[in-house]
């Protein structure tokens, strides 16, 4: 089967330009056309390319055929003047391959690509971007998270087969390749990277998934522990309402908080704006529990069931506002198969979603003292590519785990994550009078009480809250790093604070909160935030005086306290344990800082409101279902609430 290929070379275009500039005696026809421009037809040629002699690369565009006949639009950039056969690094994306390879009108390959590709260009790699099936220039049907062939996908193709067929074609048609392919991508492209590992092509010899979505219900894009991330509505709308992702949801509100609050339930919100005509949105609304729909496409489960054949470096951001669960889950799934501790690698950076591909010199307001993203790309990622795709051994071994420690602002090397033999699970107890202590309170009843009102939910960032895909995207990207002080004084947020630390305290691993709590309602959400409370004055950065930096935080929908698969009402007034798994942290609380914990029952409109009355599906809760409730958090005796901290007793610097 033939595919359409357009090969653009500098030689062809420079020849055309030279012919155009050749001087000769004008013919009578030429004179007539000069005198009467309309006689020559359109000034716009049928075909045109910006290629000139100055181009340092060849751009190749292809419609690559898949096994079912669908063709996928692919852009291949091949460096010139590289005589040795070179590896191919592939990115498959739903976010426009043509745009990703046309960043600037420059003849230089490095300028055409994202900043993160510069080391690859400098080292002569062939770079390939491809539109995922059904998006932008590619044919076929787009399914937002297409499961692999099996119970949830009765077809003959999936993202794994598309990757296989693409690699096969590239090896046969791209000149000067060395027969080795690597695959990488951020976010959705990271997810596509992982899907290629389930049944990898034999020529696929290295993979770097970055900030990949892995489990959309447990803790990535769509839900967190049963609470629906309604803030992602406008992403679903833009991504699935057109092939080109050209539509934004017509909210009619500057502040998304108001739009979601006035609509009521998430189901009604979608209906109001026409999202109920989008199959992807309906699948989210129709599957509020952790059923087979979610379990059957959880990528970490799929990876556990597949052999580990491809060296993989998973990249995670400690402040990833979109996929903070998936990368660690990916690493743990692959680690169970890495017998020699030489196939599975993890990099944990001080980054938001995708920041490792850009500038990493600051984390929001907090300066890091160096461009951590550049350090990773130049000294770790490129060494990984060179080792596995060129057989070039790195100048120093790549550690199995490279983790940046915020607070101390240093990279650390470990043999595994969490660090083996270094971490002690230590309980930090919530105490009466808003205290925190490593010592539990004795017997007797002690609790902190607050009223949660669904009519006035706690915002997740300061209003006005712009939609995720709005022009004000930066406020979404950085919100996990924002100062939490605006919420500490709310009566529906209870705070617990330690005494100032006299020595450094480092935590490395998963944070888990166990709340012993009750509600006067029959359902409830529990949000817990672990915060680094800065001293009142910070000489190096005065604006950080009293800053409340959120280190780890998450939510649990109370109806799923016993089982993620089955929702159960909460007995009103009964003290019950709620175990809330929170994102991994690698952070040092410095001397003079204090540890702070927030507990609340809404986080809006990042998550939809819990009506606090048990209903069959919160997606379709009715206005009368939303009721105030009195919440109690207990902190004594057998009902002493605590945060389990993975205290790292022996953190060592990266050599």
């Amino acid at each position: 089967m033939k595919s359409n290929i357009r090969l653009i070379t500098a030689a062809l275009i420079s020849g055309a330009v030279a012919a155009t500039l050749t001087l000769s005696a004008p013919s009578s026809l030429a004179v007539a056309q000069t005198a009467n421009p309309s006689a020559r037809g359109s000034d716009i040629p049928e075909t045109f390319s910006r290629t000139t002699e100055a181009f340092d690369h060849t751009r190749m565009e292809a419609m690559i055929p898949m096994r079912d006949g669908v063709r996928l639009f692919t852009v291949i950039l091949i460096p010139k003047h590289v005589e040795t056969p070179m590896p191919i690094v592939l990115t498959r994306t739903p976010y426009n391959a043509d745009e990703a390879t046309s960043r600037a009108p420059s003849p230089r390959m490095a300028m055409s690509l994202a900043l993160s590709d510069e080391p690859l260009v400098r080292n002569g790699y062939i770079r390939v971007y491809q539109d995922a099936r059904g998006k932008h220039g590619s044919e076929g049907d787009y399914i937002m998270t297409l499961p692999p062939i099996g119970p949830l996908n009765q077809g003959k193709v999936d993202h794994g087969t598309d990757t296989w067929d693409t690699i096969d074609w590239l090896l046969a048609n791209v000149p000067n390749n060395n027969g080795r392919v690597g695959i990488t991508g951020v976010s959705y492209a990271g997810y596509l990277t992982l899907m290629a590992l389930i049944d990898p092509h034999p020529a696929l010899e290295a993979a770097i998934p970055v900030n990949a979505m892995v489990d959309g219900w447990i803790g990535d894009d769509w839900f967190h522990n049963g609470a629906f991330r309604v803030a992602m509505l406008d992403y679903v709308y833009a991504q699935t309402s057109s092939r080109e992702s050209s539509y934004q949801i017509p909210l009619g509100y500057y502040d998304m908080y108001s739009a979601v609050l006035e609509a009521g339930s998430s189901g009604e919100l979608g209906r109001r704006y026409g999202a109920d005509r989008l199959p992807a949105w309906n699948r989210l609304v129709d599957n509020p529990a952790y059923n087979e729909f979610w379990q059957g496409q959880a990528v970490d489960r799929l990876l556990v069931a597949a052999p580990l054949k491809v060296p993989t470096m998973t990249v995670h951001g400690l402040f990833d506002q979109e996929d903070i669960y998936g990368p660690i889950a990916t690493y743990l799934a692959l680690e169970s198969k890495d017998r020699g501790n030489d196939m599975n690698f993890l990099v944990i950076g001080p980054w938001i979603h995708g920041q490792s591909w850009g500038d990493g010199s600051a984390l929001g307001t907090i300066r890091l003292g160096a461009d951590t993203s550049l350090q990773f790309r130049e000294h770790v990622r490129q060494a990984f590519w060179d080792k596995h795709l060129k057989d070039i051994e790195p100048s120093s071994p790549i550690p199995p785990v490279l983790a940046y420690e915020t607070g101390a602002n240093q990279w650390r090397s470990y043999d595994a994550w969490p660090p083996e033999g270094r971490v002690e699970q230590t309980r930090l107890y919530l105490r009466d009078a808003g205290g925190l202590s490593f010592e539990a309170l004795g017997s007797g009843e002690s609790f902190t009480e607050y009223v949660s009102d669904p009519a006035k939910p706690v915002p997740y960032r300061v209003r006005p809250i712009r939609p995720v895909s709005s022009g004000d995207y930066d406020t979404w990207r950085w919100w996990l790093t924002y100062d939490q002080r605006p919420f500490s004084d709310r009566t529906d947020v209870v705070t617990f604070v330690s005494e100032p630390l006299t020595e450094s305290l480092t935590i490395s691993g998963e944070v888990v909160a166990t709340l012993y709590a009750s509600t006067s309602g029959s359902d409830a959400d529990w949000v817990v935030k672990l915060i680094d409370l800065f001293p009142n004055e910070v000489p190096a950065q005065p604006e950080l005086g009293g800053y409340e930096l959120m280190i780890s935080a998450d939510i649990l929908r109370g109806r799923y306290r016993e089982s993620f698969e089955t929702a159960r009402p909460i007995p009103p007034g009964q003290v019950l344990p709620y175990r809330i798994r929170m994102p991994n942290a690698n952070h040092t609380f410095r001397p003079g800082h204090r540890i702070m914990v927030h507990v609340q029952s809404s986080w809006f409109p990042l998550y939809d409101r819990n009506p606090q009355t048990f209903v069959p599906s919160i997606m379709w809760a009715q206005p009368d279902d939303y009721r105030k409730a009195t919440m109690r958090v207990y902190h004594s005796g057998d009902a002493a609430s605590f945060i389990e901290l993975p205290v790292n007793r022996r953190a060592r610097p990266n050599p």
Side-chain angles (χ1 to χ4, degrees):
M1 182 179 296
K2 294 183 178 179
S3 61
N4 296 333
I5 306 172
R6 180 162 58 93
L7 184 60
I8 305 170
T9 66
L12 289 175
I13 298 302
S14 62
V17 171
T20 301
L21 297 178
T22 299
L23 298 178
S24 61
S27 67
S28 59
L29 177 59
V31 172
Q33 288 178 336
T34 302
N36 182 15
S38 63
R40 62 183 292 184
S42 175
D43 275 356
I44 301 175
E46 291 185 9
T47 60
F48 181 78
S49 170
R50 293 177 297 173
T51 311
T52 72
E53 289 182 340
F55 270 55
D56 64 358
H57 65 286
T58 298
R59 178 187 178 94
M60 183 177 179
E61 296 179 0
M63 295 296 291
I64 299 181
M66 301 294 103
R67 61 192 63 184
D68 63 345
V70 167
R71 300 179 304 165
L72 305 186
F73 176 73
T74 309
V75 180
I76 305 116
L77 300 185
I78 308 169
K80 290 183 178 180
H81 314 302
V82 178
E83 297 180 359
T84 305
M86 297 300 293
I88 297 170
V89 173
L90 168 66
T91 294
R92 304 187 64 249
T93 176
Y95 301 130
N96 197 335
D98 182 61
E99 185 176 278
T101 54
S102 307
R103 298 290 184 183
S106 171
R108 297 184 60 223
M109 181 173 167
M111 294 299 294
S112 300
L113 297 169
L115 176 65
S116 64
D117 282 331
E118 197 277 333
L120 288 171
V121 175
R122 188 182 343 117
N123 287 279
Y125 281 68
I126 299 167
R127 195 65 173 98
V128 178
Y129 282 81
Q130 180 183 75
D131 285 330
R133 176 179 291 257
K135 291 300 292 184
H136 298 281
S138 287
E139 299 171 349
D141 296 324
Y142 176 69
I143 306 297
M144 192 160 62
T145 50
L146 176 66
I149 298 169
L152 298 178
N153 177 2
Q154 300 295 322
K156 297 180 180 180
V157 297
D158 57 23
H159 291 306
T161 65
D162 283 355
T163 306
W164 182 295
D165 295 346
T166 297
I167 292 174
D168 243 15
W169 188 96
L170 292 172
L171 295 178
N173 292 275
V174 175
N176 206 37
N177 78 80
N178 72 353
R180 296 183 177 186
V181 178
I183 188 168
T184 189
V186 175
S187 192
Y188 196 112
Y191 157 76
L192 294 177
T193 299
L194 293 177
M195 297 301 284
L197 301 181
I198 297 171
D199 181 21
H201 190 285
L204 184 59
E205 298 195 22
I208 304 182
V210 182
N211 304 137
M213 186 189 76
V214 170
D215 192 315
W217 196 93
I218 294 293
D220 284 329
D221 285 290
W222 316 126
F223 291 81
H224 274 219
N225 300 316
F228 181 52
R229 286 166 65 91
V230 69
M232 299 304 290
L233 165 62
D234 62 321
Y235 173 86
V236 179
Y237 189 97
Q239 189 69 3
T240 66
S241 56
S242 73
R243 180 179 294 269
E244 296 77 19
S245 304
S246 54
Y247 300 136
Q248 288 193 10
I249 189 167
L251 279 180
Y253 295 76
Y254 185 80
D255 188 353
M256 191 175 182
Y257 184 105
S258 298
V260 180
L261 185 66
E262 293 182 23
S265 68
S266 295
E268 174 58 24
L269 177 72
R271 188 206 62 77
R272 175 174 291 192
Y273 294 107
D276 59 347
R277 300 193 297 274
L278 302 174
W281 173 257
N282 290 331
R283 288 196 298 272
L284 299 179
V285 172
D286 294 344
N287 292 280
Y290 196 51
N291 56 19
E292 179 55 35
F293 173 78
W294 295 110
Q295 296 178 34
Q297 59 182 301
V299 182
D300 55 336
R301 295 186 179 211
L302 298 171
L303 292 173
V304 164
L308 176 57
K309 296 181 179 180
V310 181
T312 301
M313 176 179 282
T314 300
V315 179
H316 174 61
L318 290 167
F319 295 83
D320 187 334
Q321 76 281 5
E322 295 175 23
D323 297 304
I324 202 166
Y325 171 84
I328 300 296
T330 295
Y331 166 80
L332 294 175
L334 296 177
E335 185 67 2
S336 64
K337 300 172 174 296
D338 187 11
R339 305 304 181 193
N341 205 25
D342 58 356
M343 292 278 285
N344 185 36
F345 299 82
L346 175 66
V347 174
I348 299 175
W351 304 316
I352 62 171
H353 193 72
Q355 191 180 358
S356 65
W357 280 34
D359 184 279
S361 57
L363 185 62
T365 304
I366 298 169
R367 297 193 295 265
L368 301 176
D371 188 340
T372 59
S373 300
L374 182 63
Q375 291 172 338
F376 160 65
R377 294 194 303 269
E378 293 280 354
H379 304 298
V380 183
R381 190 187 68 174
Q382 192 58 44
F384 183 81
W385 289 133
D386 288 345
K387 175 179 174 61
H388 296 289
L389 300 180
K390 288 186 175 182
D391 290 329
I392 299 175
E393 288 296 325
S395 57
S396 58
I398 301 172
V401 175
L402 181 64
Y404 192 88
E405 189 178 301
T406 53
N409 291 351
Q410 291 188 28
W411 289 102
R412 310 286 190 186
S413 295
Y414 298 110
D415 293 328
W417 188 264
E420 292 181 346
R422 298 174 180 274
V423 171
E424 298 177 11
Q425 301 300 327
T426 306
R427 292 185 176 185
L428 180 65
Y429 290 93
L430 280 57
R431 298 286 294 265
D432 53 354
L436 280 176
S437 174
F438 289 106
E439 300 295 329
L441 195 63
S443 59
E445 186 177 69
S446 174
F447 60 83
T448 301
E449 182 177 279
Y450 64 97
V451 175
S452 174
D453 184 357
K456 298 178 180 179
V458 181
Y460 76 95
R461 66 181 199 246
V462 174
R463 297 176 65 184
I465 296 173
R466 303 291 291 129
V468 171
S469 61
S470 72
D472 193 18
Y473 181 59
D474 271 356
T475 58
W476 163 254
R477 294 175 68 233
W478 293 102
W479 79 267
L480 278 177
T481 72
Y482 286 170
D483 194 342
Q484 296 298 300
R485 269 180 292 194
F487 316 111
S488 293
D489 295 333
R490 286 185 58 119
T491 58
D492 50 359
V493 176
V494 292
T495 62
F496 302 86
V497 186
S498 74
E499 293 297 320
L501 298 176
T502 58
E503 59 183 23
S504 294
L505 176 70
T506 300
I507 58 174
S508 301
E510 183 181 56
V511 179
V512 180
T514 298
L515 296 183
Y516 288 91
S518 68
T519 174
S520 62
S522 53
D523 200 356
D525 286 348
W526 303 101
V527 178
V528 178
K529 306 174 187 174
L530 177 67
I531 293 168
D532 185 342
L533 175 56
F534 282 55
N536 291 330
E537 291 186 306
V538 178
Q541 269 192 267
E543 66 273 22
L544 294 181
Y547 201 92
E548 296 181 11
L549 176 65
M550 192 161 55
I551 303 303
S552 179
D554 223 326
I555 186 171
L556 172 69
R557 184 137 285 174
R559 60 176 48 212
Y560 299 116
R561 69 196 179 280
E562 297 175 6
S563 166
F564 285 159
E565 293 86 354
T566 305
R568 294 183 175 90
I570 298 173
Q574 186 170 330
V575 181
L576 297 170
Y578 297 89
R579 189 172 187 270
I580 306 161
R581 294 180 59 186
M582 297 159 64
N584 279 244
N586 195 43
H587 181 75
T588 291
F589 296 87
R590 300 177 70 92
H593 291 230
R594 292 185 287 173
I595 304 173
M596 171 180 272
V597 171
H598 286 186
V599 178
Q600 59 200 59
S601 290
S602 55
W603 218 7
F604 186 78
L606 177 63
Y607 299 98
D608 61 344
R609 296 173 301 152
N610 192 313
Q612 303 180 161
T613 303
F614 187 83
V615 294
S617 174
I618 290 178
M619 295 292 191
W620 294 103
Q622 299 301 303
D624 291 344
D625 296 327
Y626 293 89
R627 301 172 188 173
K628 291 182 183 180
T630 299
M631 312 297 192
R632 289 182 174 180
V633 178
Y634 290 78
H635 31 67
S636 62
D638 293 335
S641 300
F642 61 90
I643 311 295
E644 193 170 355
L645 298 179
V647 176
N648 189 337
R649 300 296 186 186
R650 294 181 297 278
R652 74 176 191 272
N654 183 50

